[in-house]
Amino acid sequence: MSIAIRVEHLSKSYKIRHKNQSGQDLLRDIIAEKIKGIIDKSKKIIDNKLVVKNQSKEVFWALNNLNFEIKKGERVGIIGSNGAGKSTLLKILSRISEPTKGRISTNGRISSLLEVGTGFHPELTGRENIYLNGAILGMQRTEIRNKFDEIVSFSEIGKFLDTPVKRYSSGMYIRLAFAVSAYLESEILIVDEVLAVGDAQFQKKCLGKMEDFSRKGERTVIFVSHNMQAITSLCNRVILINKGSILQDDETKKVIRNYLMFETSKKGLIEWEPEKALGDSRIKLRAIRILDQENKIRSHFCSTSVIRIRFDFEIFTLDNLLVIGFDLTNENGIIIFRSYQHDSIEEEWPKLLLGFNSIYCEIPSELLREGTYFISPKISLHGVKWIINSDPLLSFDIELNHGVSPYWSYYNKANRPGVLSLVVPWKNLE
């Protein structure tokens, strides 16, 4: 099988500018930085240990000496915690950004879907943007016209086709952008977490399409997602990145299992200092706690226990679309369920206030089977944008101690099949 992408000794660095304590650049700092630059360019420093007081820049290596190959027709997932370097890698593969060191060789045209609106001209209509994207890929107008009806049908935005895309919702953007990327003639498709903006049915449709054309050997797919279930469903290989380096490159289930087991907190608690809290200008997540019914932090429960998942956060701007919740995932990356604070009837919704908030939900007893479970926080403006769409951050264990049927003995209860271990009543028909 021929090579679609070859990455050799790839590294990417950025210069991070630091401000003084007042948050402003002082004249003496700027002068010192300029003088240092002149000195560095004019002569070699004997031992490379010149120190300039109040230095205002440092070099941050987002990627560090990456080496891998992707064969034509492979479906490769890239996973890792926030800040691991995933997005930087995709931008370099998509030729949006240049590497600092190393090289990339590609065999085929690349189509990438990295951010909402990427590649679209906001003043042009959906129709015009389809032709524009095809032209960028080097296609003739007749080639684009032959694919046009399929693109419109897949995107399901036909009645908005002649509307400028600046008036599209984020979901409409994604529908059209994915359809354009999928149907126009590129051999390599690169997709970031941007698909998560769309509705669940459309996400499933996109995953099916990517799987379909890669299995036929038509396309190579590189897919980044925080959704381990989507990665498991689509990808036959996963690359795990941590702090800019490759930790593991192997078959999907092996990599996901290791990632979940070793990259999550097992203490029943994860906290962030204010300056490191997850979120944006609207909301900052400060802590997640796993509690028993006495509000004691725990990470090991019997299956007959009620489990409380508590979120502590700070709200700076109230918004009616704000939803706060989590995915509960098992050891194989399968989502057992997703829960938001808006799941109950409206009268029971927690009241969110400006400032510090604490809310919790309860996982019922006698629901989960034996195993390890993982919590991935999910905070968004519903249907508009993700604020936090995280990989699993903390975990807890369940020990099975329920099940009244004599056909499930003490010794084989753990082998009871199914994702859940729910005991449901059976009755005679009256």
Side-chain angles (χ1 to χ4, degrees):
M1 191 180 291
S2 61
I3 302 299
I5 296 177
R6 178 179 285 115
V7 172
E8 301 173 278
H9 307 292
L10 179 68
S11 297
K12 177 66 176 180
S13 66
Y14 295 97
K15 289 183 179 179
I16 301 175
R17 187 174 185 85
H18 296 288
K19 295 182 181 294
N20 56 72
Q21 292 182 352
S22 70
Q24 299 177 345
D25 294 321
L26 299 180
L27 180 60
R28 66 169 183 268
D29 297 332
I30 297 172
I31 294 174
E33 182 69 18
K34 294 294 184 183
I35 292 174
K36 179 184 182 300
I38 294 170
I39 294 173
D40 286 347
K41 290 179 182 177
S42 63
K43 65 178 182 178
K44 297 281 187 180
I45 307 303
I46 295 174
D47 59 0
N48 279 333
K49 291 184 179 179
L50 175 66
V51 176
V52 177
K53 194 173 183 179
N54 294 325
Q55 185 175 358
S56 60
K57 289 182 182 178
E58 69 171 294
V59 176
F60 168 70
W61 289 93
L63 299 174
N64 188 14
N65 197 32
L66 270 58
N67 294 275
F68 61 88
E69 292 179 348
I70 297 176
K71 296 177 182 178
K72 184 178 179 181
E74 275 196 295
R75 305 184 303 275
V76 179
I78 299 178
I79 64 173
S81 57
N82 293 330
K86 305 184 298 297
S87 294
T88 300
L89 174 60
L90 293 197
K91 287 178 181 178
I92 294 175
L93 293 177
S94 303
R95 307 295 187 185
I96 295 172
S97 179
E98 290 294 321
T100 305
K101 297 179 182 178
R103 57 176 295 188
I104 296 173
S105 304
T106 58
N107 181 16
R109 290 181 290 193
I110 297 175
S111 180
S112 58
L113 185 58
L114 305 184
E115 296 176 2
V116 175
T118 299
F120 282 178
H121 191 295
E123 300 296 335
L124 299 181
T125 65
R127 183 188 304 275
E128 291 165 337
N129 270 290
I130 292 172
Y131 281 95
L132 174 63
N133 275 263
I136 290 172
L137 286 172
M139 297 176 65
Q140 299 295 322
R141 190 173 181 86
T142 53
E143 295 178 273
I144 304 170
R145 190 180 296 119
N146 290 337
K147 298 285 184 179
F148 188 85
D149 288 343
E150 291 178 289
I151 292 171
V152 175
S153 175
F154 191 92
S155 66
E156 301 173 5
I157 61 161
K159 64 181 180 180
F160 301 104
L161 197 57
D162 294 307
T163 301
V165 298
K166 67 181 180 181
R167 298 198 179 98
Y168 284 13
S169 68
S170 56
M172 292 167 63
Y173 255 119
I174 294 308
R175 286 175 178 273
L176 184 58
F178 182 86
V180 167
S181 299
Y183 282 94
L184 295 183
E185 299 297 330
S186 60
E187 289 77 32
I188 301 169
L189 178 61
I190 299 175
V191 181
D192 203 346
E193 186 66 40
V194 67
L195 276 184
V197 175
D199 61 76
Q201 193 61 36
F202 187 73
Q203 290 175 41
K204 184 177 180 180
K205 186 176 175 181
C206 292
L207 291 171
K209 186 62 183 176
M210 287 190 285
E211 186 174 5
D212 180 53
F213 58 53
S214 64
R215 279 186 173 168
K216 293 177 182 177
E218 298 173 354
R219 301 278 186 88
T220 300
V221 177
I222 301 174
F223 182 45
V224 169
S225 178
H226 292 291
N227 186 332
M228 296 299 117
Q229 185 169 332
I231 292 282
T232 301
S233 172
L234 175 67
C235 303
N236 47 29
R237 171 186 165 197
V238 169
I239 298 173
L240 171 59
I241 297 179
N242 182 55
K243 296 180 180 178
S245 299
I246 294 177
L247 285 189
Q248 191 176 7
D249 181 352
D250 208 330
E251 62 182 74
T252 301
K253 287 188 177 180
K254 286 183 180 178
V255 179
I256 287 179
R257 184 179 290 269
N258 286 342
Y259 177 57
L260 293 176
M261 288 297 182
F262 296 108
E263 295 296 321
T264 57
S265 170
K266 299 171 179 63
K267 299 177 180 178
L269 167 69
I270 185 167
E271 294 181 288
W272 293 271
E273 295 297 326
E275 63 275 9
K276 296 181 179 180
L278 305 182
D280 64 6
S281 60
R282 296 178 183 84
I283 183 172
K284 293 288 185 182
L285 183 58
R286 297 291 299 276
I288 305 173
R289 291 173 167 83
I290 304 173
L291 308 167
D292 61 20
Q293 283 187 289
E294 296 178 351
N295 288 322
K296 293 180 180 178
I297 294 173
R298 293 175 59 182
S299 59
H300 186 93
F301 296 86
C302 291
S303 61
T304 52
S305 303
V306 173
I307 303 169
R308 290 179 175 176
I309 309 299
R310 172 177 149 183
F311 279 64
D312 297 337
F313 51 92
E314 199 168 0
I315 292 180
F316 304 97
T317 303
L318 284 173
D319 194 309
N320 291 334
L321 295 177
L322 185 65
V323 290
I324 299 159
F326 64 93
D327 283 353
L328 187 72
T329 309
N330 68 10
E331 299 166 33
N332 295 318
I334 304 301
I335 299 173
I336 307 301
F337 64 79
R338 174 174 293 180
S339 179
Y340 284 124
Q341 97 278 13
H342 283 6
D343 286 346
S344 55
I345 61 174
E346 188 168 354
E347 291 78 9
E348 296 176 356
W349 289 355
K351 185 173 179 61
L352 302 182
L353 305 171
L354 282 175
F356 194 83
N357 291 256
S358 290
I359 61 175
Y360 72 91
C361 72
E362 290 187 345
I363 300 175
S365 63
E366 301 183 0
L367 176 68
L368 301 176
R369 62 173 293 127
E370 187 167 88
T372 302
Y373 295 86
F374 304 87
I375 293 174
S376 306
K378 306 287 178 180
I379 299 178
S380 70
L381 294 181
H382 181 64
V384 178
K385 63 170 288 189
W386 284 108
I387 297 173
I388 298 173
N389 183 22
S390 175
D391 289 343
L393 296 182
L394 65 170
S395 62
F396 62 90
D397 297 319
I398 292 289
E399 177 185 338
L400 194 67
N401 69 334
H402 77 277
V404 296
S405 170
Y407 293 98
W408 300 109
S409 70
Y410 175 82
Y411 295 101
N412 72 5
K413 279 191 293 184
N415 296 321
R416 187 172 181 161
V419 175
L420 301 176
S421 189
L422 182 64
V423 177
V424 293
W426 288 70
K427 298 180 180 180
N428 285 322
L429 182 63
E430 295 178 359

